[in-house]
Amino acid sequence: MSIDLPDPIARYFAADKRGSAASLATCFSPDAIVIDEGNTYVGLDAIRQWMTNASTQYTYTVEPFALAHHDDRIVVTSRLVGNFPGSPVDLRYRFAIEGDRIAGLEIVA
């Protein structure tokens, strides 16, 4: 199923698919915050390192299949399949968008 994602979010998932931490970081504003697996990453360097660690620790694919708006967030539900404990899993990516960049992202089960 294909969904029409806002541009910053589409760029995020495209960069994630390529495993490019540098490209993924360019999707975020300079002071963006990412919350994933109980950890918080603030700023582009921390976000780049978070993606680098995730892509070297696990091999995975992510397929967005649903989009919703909740308060000031865009929530994208995606199926994540890979060599990690609990695979496959559906995750909700809660994006805060400012202009053409992601200002915040929280990833939850």
Side-chain angles (χ1 to χ4, degrees), residues 23-74:
S23 292
L24 186 130
T26 67
C27 300
F28 290 86
S29 62
D31 57 350
I33 298 170
V34 171
I35 301 170
D36 184 32
E37 296 185 293
N39 297 304
T40 301
Y41 308 91
V42 180
L44 297 180
D45 288 339
I47 291 169
R48 190 178 303 108
Q49 189 60 50
W50 160 70
M51 179 58 178
T52 298
N53 291 345
S55 63
T56 57
Q57 188 174 10
Y58 300 113
T59 302
Y60 62 90
T61 59
V62 61
E63 186 65 36
F65 65 86
L67 176 97
H69 294 270
H70 188 267
D71 297 326
D72 61 343
R73 301 282 175 154
I74 299 170

Side-chain angles (χ1 to χ4, degrees), residues 5-17:
L5 298 171
D7 186 58
I9 296 172
R11 287 187 285 120
Y12 168 88
F13 283 111
D16 187 32
K17 185 175 188 170

